Amino acid sequence: MSKKKTAAIVLAAGLGTRMKSSLPKVMHPVAGHPMVNHLIDTLAKLSLEKIVVVVGPDMEELEAAVQPHATAVQYERLGTGDAVKAGMTALEGFKGNVLVVYGDTPLISEVTLNSMIEAREEPQGGFAPAVVVLGFVPDDPGAYGRLVLDEDDGELLAIVEAKDASPEELAIPLCNSGVMCFDGELLPQMLGRLTNNNAKGEYYLTDCVGLARDDGFACAVVEGDEEEMLGVNSRAELAMAETIAQDRLREKAMKNGATLIDPSTVYFSYDTQIGKDVLIEPNVFFGPGVSVSDHVHIKANCHFEGASIDAGVIIGPFARLRPGSTLAEGARVGNFVEIKNADVEAGGKVNHLTYIGDARVGTGANIGAGTITCNYDGFLKSKTDIGQGAFIGSNTALVAPVTIGDGAIVGAGSTITRDVGENDIVTTRADQKNARGAAERFRERKRLEKEQQKKD
Ligand code: UD1
Ligand code: MG
């Protein structure tokens, strides 16, 4: 257990030029959640004194996304050292541990961050290290900073950025993940001594290690798993982070008792909740805000967002649930059905080629193929209320606002513009006329017309 208090600074002011995007880099989503929010969610589990997010001067969207945590503005992007300096303005007088994380490293775990804080307080040769750096050995060290260790005692001597490194230093396999934990009493003076005399002309936070060593303080490395350390600087790295996040979410769903026939084709959001004995067929996409109870069967090729699916529901193939959809116990939603902001109550059936929007489908009601709730008149949305046990015939247009009473039957092909009472039968289609035997006479007439046309 850590004895000192710890505060965290999340660096998020960088523009992320390599992303080629108008969105700040750390706002790019991984599993439906901005990268910076992944980090903040993880930090929030550590019971920290305070979380400060360093943002750029023109990043209102980012400031809103990290609420209610404190933000500090870095007015000029002069490097990671300068960004931490900006963050420290929100931690004036704080003397505990300062944990720095980079907003573009979204996959780091709570366990790893905890081990960093613990290492910061662990005496090495009588002294706790002034700086602890989270290192890792990536397959391709590329542009990561290299950790230079003392050959004799393995202590951390310096971090050298790839652009400033000699060929020998570039050959070092151990790299800087960007996560560092500082002694908060020493950090301000170290930051004050940073210079930008380097290849990028930036104030590197990583230079603090060398400065601490110059002052006679020890610095330590905690080694972590490559999968957690991935820094996202480009769209290709964003895709790599997504793959790792998805694999974790698939594993979690299976561990909790769901069967995924082809896991690699099922995509979850960071917050998807999946119950036990859920069967998920291939090619299913979960957007944010979806919960699925036990014993649900999701057939292939479905897309869900903002929906709640109760126990025993069977849904798909090819079904779409949009925000505000709830399917109560035992409901059935079949192929090419779209549901938006609507409640399908227990045992309701919407099985084929249908749009249900801004509506209630009562308990046990049956909605025929091709039914459309006409919820929008070009200006306003209106509600359709379908009562318990009602039966809506195929190819019916329900022009909202409209109510269909409990137990009512609507004949196929109807366009319903007025309320239908309980247990009423209603049809709005034109009457049918049958001309007895007329088909034979019709064919004979047409045959003669065709012959005449050939002669002319
Ligand atoms: C940084 C490290 C490198 C490490 C790598 C891990 C430095 C000097 N280098 O390099 O050793 O291996 O991360 O992923 O620290 N930021 C600001 N203000 C700035 C500059 C950056 O807030 O002025 C933020 C960015 O939004 C980003 C983070 O700091 O979240 C890291 O910046 P980035 O430019 O990605 O640094 P790297 O080149 O990846
Ligand atoms: Mg980076």
Side-chain angles (χ1 to χ4, degrees):
M1 251 328 260
S2 135
K3 294 168 287 300
K4 283 193 179 166
K5 289 195 163 149
T6 301
I9 298 179
V10 181
L11 301 195
L15 284 177
T17 40
R18 286 169 277 176
M19 294 294 282
K20 308 244 173 6
S21 171
S22 55
L23 192 67
K25 173 167 73 174
V26 301
M27 288 297 289
H28 281 264
V30 169
H33 204 36
M35 287 194 261
V36 68
N37 291 100
H38 278 278
L39 264 177
I40 288 177
D41 291 352
T42 309
L43 289 169
K45 294 179 196 156
L46 297 173
S47 50
L48 301 175
E49 182 73 4
K50 192 169 183 179
I51 297 174
V52 181
V53 183
V54 179
V55 303
D58 39 14
M59 293 182 167
E60 291 79 19
E61 200 185 344
L62 172 58
E63 285 190 51
V66 302
Q67 289 296 331
H69 298 288
T71 49
V73 181
Q74 183 194 21
Y75 289 96
E76 279 182 279
R77 293 173 177 92
L78 301 177
T80 49
D82 180 70
V84 171
K85 211 188 248 183
M88 287 302 283
T89 60
L91 291 175
E92 209 124 353
F94 181 75
K95 301 265 189 267
N97 306 310
V98 177
L99 179 67
V100 175
V101 295
Y102 291 175
D104 64 352
T105 311
L107 302 170
I108 218 125
S109 74
E110 182 194 348
V111 173
T112 302
L113 292 179
N114 244 331
S115 66
M116 294 286 294
I117 297 170
E118 276 166 16
R120 166 72 262 292
E121 293 176 8
E122 215 165 81
Q124 299 191 336
F127 296 101
V131 186
V132 178
V133 174
L134 181 59
F136 70 120
V137 178
D139 270 350
D140 171 16
Y144 289 114
R146 306 300 203 268
L147 302 186
V148 183
L149 302 186
D150 187 301
E151 282 182 9
D152 297 327
D153 60 13
E155 267 197 39
L156 178 62
L157 298 178
I159 304 178
V160 184
E161 289 305 297
K163 277 201 173 162
D164 301 282
S166 65
E168 295 76 42
E169 286 165 337
L170 277 179
I172 296 174
L174 187 61
C175 290
N176 173 26
S177 69
V179 179
M180 291 184 229
C181 194
F182 295 90
D183 178 339
E185 286 194 65
L186 299 175
L187 183 58
Q189 57 93 358
M190 287 196 261
L191 294 173
R193 285 155 63 204
L194 293 175
T195 64
N196 63 355
N197 186 16
N198 52 49
K200 281 189 171 174
E202 288 185 359
Y203 295 89
Y204 293 160
L205 180 65
T206 45
D207 285 349
C208 286
V209 169
L211 293 174
R213 296 286 313 184
D214 290 348
D215 289 349
F217 292 105
C219 298
V221 178
V222 165
E223 211 178 310
D225 185 20
E226 178 179 9
E227 218 184 65
E228 283 187 31
M229 311 299 157
L230 178 72
V232 175
N233 300 294
S234 63
R235 304 275 181 165
E237 285 166 348
L238 182 67
M240 284 158 72
E242 184 73 40
T243 302
I244 295 169
Q246 288 301 338
D247 281 342
R248 286 184 185 175
L249 291 165
R250 289 165 187 147
E251 212 162 282
K252 184 176 140 201
M254 292 189 279
K255 214 182 239 168
N256 289 344
T259 293
L260 277 57
I261 291 176
D262 186 356
S264 67
T265 68
V266 176
Y267 290 81
F268 293 108
S269 271
Y270 72 106
D271 61 350
T272 309
Q273 290 180 29
I274 305 283
K276 275 199 234 65
D277 289 319
V278 170
L279 172 61
I280 305 177
E281 294 185 6
N283 300 319
V284 176
F285 185 93
F286 293 87
V290 178
S291 67
V292 179
S293 299
D294 298 345
H295 301 286
V296 167
H297 180 177
I298 300 167
K299 298 186 178 180
N301 300 301
C302 288
H303 189 285
F304 307 138
E305 52 192 325
S308 135
I309 304 175
D310 255 357
V313 166
I314 300 176
I315 180 161
F318 295 99
R320 180 177 184 198
L321 298 180
R322 290 171 53 202
S325 302
T326 70
L327 308 183
E329 200 164 337
R332 300 272 184 280
V333 171
N335 43 271
F336 305 106
V337 171
E338 174 180 342
I339 297 185
K340 184 218 74 168
N341 188 32
D343 301 317
V344 179
E345 294 180 351
K349 290 193 182 67
V350 191
N351 268 334
H352 336 263
L353 301 148
T354 287
Y355 173 62
I356 300 290
D358 303 305
R360 173 181 78 103
V361 174
T363 306
N366 192 329
I367 309 297
T371 296
I372 306 290
T373 53
C374 310
N375 59 328
Y376 185 53
D377 59 11
F379 295 91
L380 296 171
K381 303 267 169 68
S382 300
K383 190 167 177 197
T384 301
D385 190 80
I386 300 168
Q388 179 177 333
F391 180 94
I392 311 295
S394 297
N395 196 28
T396 291
L398 300 167
V399 183
V402 72
T403 296
I404 311 295
D406 290 351
I409 295 176
V410 176
S414 296
T415 298
I416 303 297
T417 53
R418 292 197 306 273
D419 288 354
V420 176
E422 206 177 307
N423 290 317
D424 286 358
I425 292 186
V426 60
T427 51
T428 68
R429 54 183 184 243
D431 272 349
Q432 179 172 330
K433 285 183 212 143
N434 282 24
R436 201 173 279 274
E440 270 304 296
R441 296 196 292 278
F442 172 80
R443 280 194 284 272
E444 181 58 14
R445 196 173 78 232
K446 285 293 170 189
R447 196 179 56 75
L448 291 172
E449 270 176 30
K450 200 167 174 181
E451 258 171 30
Q452 189 59 41
Q453 214 174 48
K454 270 190 207 150
K455 281 185 200 153
D456 290 346

